[in-house]
Amino acid sequence: MPLSPTARKHEEQQQQQQNTCNCSEGEEEESFSREDTVYHTIRTSTAAKTGHQMDNPAPSTVVIRIGVPDLEQTKCMRFNLDAPVWVSKQRILCTLNQTLKDVLNYGLFQPAYNGRVGKFLDEERLLREYPAPSDTPIPYLEFRYKKRVYTQSHIEEKQLAKLHTKANLKKFMEYIQYRHAEKISKMLDKGLDPNFHDPDTGECPLTLAVQLENTSEIIKLLRNGGAHLDFRTRDGLTALHKAVRCRNHTALITLLDLGASPDYKDSRGLTPLYHSSMVGGDPYCCELILHDHATVGCMDENGWQEIHQACRYGHVQHLEHLLFYGADMSSQNASGNTALHICALYNQEAIIFYLQDKYLAFAVARGI
């Protein structure tokens, strides 16, 4: 049953907790605490799905041998071929008996075979899209930390170690900050891996680039130099999330053109579309990711969807786009409140007037 307006205090307390998580980019946290939170989020979101899959087993499944080099473990697991790689990754994390540092930046890696270069599986593509070698009875994948995949055979480990000093990595971030494309290109050509965190800010090169203006060329350089589009900052955000939060539609278009998925998840399992519904501003970013087939209906730990957030903050144009692409106005959060209840709780008159006009026009058109 929906909460009455007197329950607004309860809703505000929930949202204050959410905002604390959302604004944690500038806060210092203990690494073990952050990893524990990530593991808890993944296990909570996966438990219900796993139970449902046991009751209704997927028709297309495959047994894959998973190697975890950092833990020196190997195990065989059954996966749904028609589920995204992200789901398989969650299942693996739930079975680990040891904690991995920066676990969100671990991914499934397909080793080289038959002359093909090894590669990391994109988290939002279906597992079916990555065929296994036909001569292997049980396919093998590695669960490892995402790094640049080198195709050059002449690069030596000693040479890479000299290149990846703290001074060089700091210099590389400065080149991005000041948009020195030529210097960035030279360091990448030498073999620098652009998948790392700045020790001070927690940003990675790609997420820093998407927050700056006129950096499409640099974004492409980083991608061609081995940057993973789904590599996350220390706070668990991908470059796509950062571009949306900064309302940088030029960077967003570049990322989507390079093959980034609009459904990448952050450390809370939230998509860029969800973040767009919260931050508001220019709705063009929201429209872009919806046009790129973003999934509508992402839900946070309190049952809030994009449509609830748009109504909470009075983002009329975002709400209009969400409804056009199929958002459900009748969906309820954990407290039983629909988006319309949220409008009333937070006195968002502009949203209410918009909805009245919309449904009045609908009634007139239908002759109701």
Side-chain angles (χ1 to χ4, degrees):
M1 182 176 180
L3 293 178
S4 65
T6 57
R8 176 176 177 177
K9 183 177 181 181
H10 174 69
E11 291 284 359
E12 287 179 338
Q13 288 174 345
Q14 286 185 337
Q15 283 306 292
Q16 285 173 359
Q17 292 174 353
Q18 287 183 333
N19 292 338
T20 300
C21 294
N22 294 335
C23 297
S24 63
E25 297 175 15
E27 298 176 358
E28 291 293 334
E29 296 179 2
E30 295 293 336
S31 60
F32 73 89
S33 176
R34 180 165 53 248
E35 297 298 338
D36 288 346
T37 302
V38 170
Y39 273 101
H40 176 72
T41 301
I42 291 173
R43 284 168 179 154
T44 301
S45 62
T46 307
K49 297 177 184 177
T50 304
H52 178 73
Q53 289 173 351
M54 292 297 290
D55 296 335
N56 301 289
S60 301
T61 59
V62 63
V63 174
I64 300 177
R65 189 162 58 95
I66 302 296
V68 189
D70 290 348
L71 300 181
E72 298 182 350
Q73 295 180 9
T74 303
K75 59 186 71 182
C76 288
M77 299 179 63
R78 184 175 294 276
F79 298 100
N80 182 0
L81 287 171
D82 296 316
V85 173
W86 169 260
V87 175
S88 302
K89 172 178 171 177
Q90 287 180 307
R91 289 203 58 209
I92 294 170
L93 289 175
C94 289
T95 65
L96 297 180
N97 53 16
Q98 292 177 256
T99 301
L100 294 169
K101 186 178 180 181
D102 193 19
V103 68
L104 283 177
N105 281 322
Y106 273 73
L108 286 171
F109 180 78
Q110 188 174 51
Y113 72 94
N114 294 341
R116 297 186 180 183
V117 179
K119 60 183 175 182
F120 282 93
L121 279 55
D122 188 280
E123 292 180 351
E124 290 303 321
R125 291 183 63 181
L126 301 181
L127 193 58
R128 180 184 297 282
E129 298 178 36
Y130 295 96
S134 57
D135 58 347
T136 305
I138 299 180
Y140 175 74
L141 295 174
E142 291 183 348
F143 189 65
R144 60 195 307 173
Y145 194 78
K146 292 179 182 175
K147 295 182 179 180
R148 179 176 179 177
V149 179
Y150 295 97
T151 57
Q152 304 96 320
S153 58
H154 63 277
I155 295 181
E156 299 179 355
E157 291 187 9
K158 290 183 179 180
Q159 178 184 345
L160 291 178
K162 291 180 180 179
L163 186 63
H164 292 84
T165 63
K166 290 184 178 180
N168 280 341
L169 296 182
K170 182 178 180 180
K171 190 183 300 182
F172 188 73
M173 294 296 279
E174 289 176 354
Y175 290 159
I176 295 173
Q177 183 71 49
Y178 296 108
R179 304 172 181 82
H180 293 160
E182 186 177 344
K183 294 180 179 180
I184 293 171
S185 180
K186 285 183 179 180
M187 293 193 75
L188 291 171
D189 289 342
K190 290 179 180 178
L192 185 135
D193 181 0
N195 302 290
F196 65 88
H197 291 145
D198 183 281
D200 298 323
T201 64
E203 296 286 348
C204 52
L206 193 58
T207 59
L208 174 61
V210 300
Q211 295 177 74
L212 305 173
E213 296 294 332
N214 304 317
T215 53
S216 293
E217 181 186 355
I218 292 176
I219 294 172
K220 293 175 183 177
L221 281 174
L222 291 171
R223 175 56 176 163
N224 294 332
H228 295 291
L229 297 172
D230 53 6
F231 192 84
R232 292 167 176 83
T233 64
R234 194 182 297 155
D235 293 313
L237 299 177
T238 68
L240 216 66
H241 289 88
K242 288 285 187 176
V244 165
R245 293 185 65 85
C246 293
R247 308 173 186 89
N248 189 342
H249 62 267
T250 303
L252 180 60
I253 291 172
T254 304
L255 290 171
L256 293 173
D257 287 344
L258 289 172
S261 169
D263 291 331
Y264 286 150
K265 310 296 190 299
D266 67 5
S267 57
R268 297 170 61 202
L270 304 179
T271 62
L273 180 61
Y274 190 100
H275 283 261
S276 177
S277 301
M278 286 194 298
V279 300
D282 185 355
Y284 187 40
C285 285
C286 177
E287 185 179 7
L288 280 173
I289 48 183
L290 282 167
H291 182 71
D292 207 67
H293 309 291
T295 302
V296 180
C298 175
M299 190 181 299
D300 69 9
E301 60 272 16
N302 293 317
W304 286 57
Q305 298 183 18
E306 303 96 345
I307 199 166
H308 293 96
Q309 295 291 357
C311 289
R312 161 68 180 92
Y313 293 105
H315 301 146
V316 179
Q317 290 178 295
H318 289 71
L319 176 62
E320 185 177 0
H321 290 314
L322 289 168
L323 291 174
F324 180 81
Y325 282 91
D328 184 8
M329 278 296 294
S330 64
S331 58
Q332 299 179 353
N333 63 14
S335 300
N337 287 324
T338 66
L340 198 56
H341 290 112
I342 299 299
C343 292
L345 288 171
Y346 292 97
N347 299 319
Q348 294 294 352
E349 295 181 357
I351 296 283
I352 295 174
F353 290 150
Y354 163 74
L355 292 174
Q356 285 179 340
D357 292 341
K358 178 180 177 63
Y359 287 104
L360 180 61
F362 174 79
V364 170
R366 291 297 180 93
I368 301 175

